[in-house]
Amino acid sequence: VVLMAALLVTPAAAARYWTNHLVTMLLVAAFFGAVSGAMGTYISASFSRMPTGPWIVLCAAGCFALSFLFAPERGWLGRLIRARNMERRSAEENVLKTLYQAGEERHEWDTAQTLSELQRLRPMALHRLQGTLRRLLRHGWVTEPSHEAYTLTESGFQRAAAITRRHRLWET
């Protein structure tokens, strides 16, 4: 009874990680069930005294584990990558916003901010701030006119103004 329940539930649970549509989920579950059945039968036939049912369930569990880890939308790795990208994007937006607001306070849009000034205005770890500034340099949103001092480019100024406006609207 336990093996039959596992054979019914595990392929469907694995398929659920890959899609939101019922018809597609049924097809993917059928594929996972067929692959599990074929692999479990092959393993059972390849070695003596190996029961087929438990091997099929173990192969289905392997399909579930792979789905849990690697499915693009719901998988663990996909979520980890999306969270990391969101953290980077948030850090980039916050640094751009900080540079914009520092220039806004002085009424000088092209004043350079040193790392220590940026860290004072936007507290974050130094290595994280430096990595964010390197990415902003690659995007062409900031320049480094002097060593460890940064200023917004024209495209960076436009992006920072849009970000600041959007954040102010959210706060309102």
Side-chain angles (χ1 to χ4, degrees):
V1 171
V2 172
L3 290 176
M4 288 306 296
L7 288 174
L8 288 172
V9 172
T10 308
R16 181 69 175 108
Y17 278 94
W18 296 94
T19 184
N20 289 328
H21 299 97
L22 180 62
V23 173
T24 308
M25 188 176 82
L26 290 173
L27 293 173
V28 173
F31 173 75
F32 283 156
V35 168
S36 300
M39 286 176 54
T41 303
Y42 176 77
I43 292 170
S44 174
S46 297
F47 302 101
S48 63
R49 305 183 96 181
M50 288 287 183
T52 306
W55 275 108
I56 293 173
V57 171
L58 284 174
C59 291
C63 287
F64 176 81
L66 290 173
S67 297
F68 175 78
L69 292 174
F70 300 113
E73 279 297 313
R74 292 192 180 98
W76 179 77
L77 186 62
R79 287 183 183 189
L80 184 69
I81 290 169
R82 279 192 308 281
R84 184 174 177 215
N85 289 340
M86 181 61 93
E87 285 176 10
R88 284 184 172 185
R89 182 173 161 219
S90 177
E92 289 172 5
E93 287 185 359
N94 285 332
V95 170
L96 284 172
K97 182 179 167 184
T98 301
L99 285 167
Y100 179 84
Q101 289 173 338
E104 189 177 43
E105 288 174 4
R106 296 178 183 173
H107 301 290
E108 298 173 5
W109 302 108
D110 59 349
T111 53
Q113 299 289 322
T114 64
L115 277 175
S116 60
E117 289 171 335
L118 282 172
Q119 239 183 343
R120 182 181 55 79
L121 295 170
R122 176 69 57 184
M124 71 172 44
L126 182 63
H127 71 280
R128 187 170 178 217
L129 179 61
Q130 289 172 329
T132 301
L133 287 166
R134 278 193 300 272
R135 284 193 306 278
L136 293 173
L137 282 166
R138 275 196 308 268
H139 288 302
W141 293 330
V142 297
T143 59
E144 191 176 11
S146 65
H147 186 65
E148 292 189 359
Y150 300 89
T151 186
L152 292 170
T153 62
E154 182 62 35
S155 62
F157 174 78
Q158 291 171 357
R159 180 156 172 80
I163 289 167
T164 303
R165 238 185 333 265
R166 190 173 56 232
H167 285 195
R168 286 176 181 165
L169 282 172
W170 289 337
E171 291 166 3
T172 300

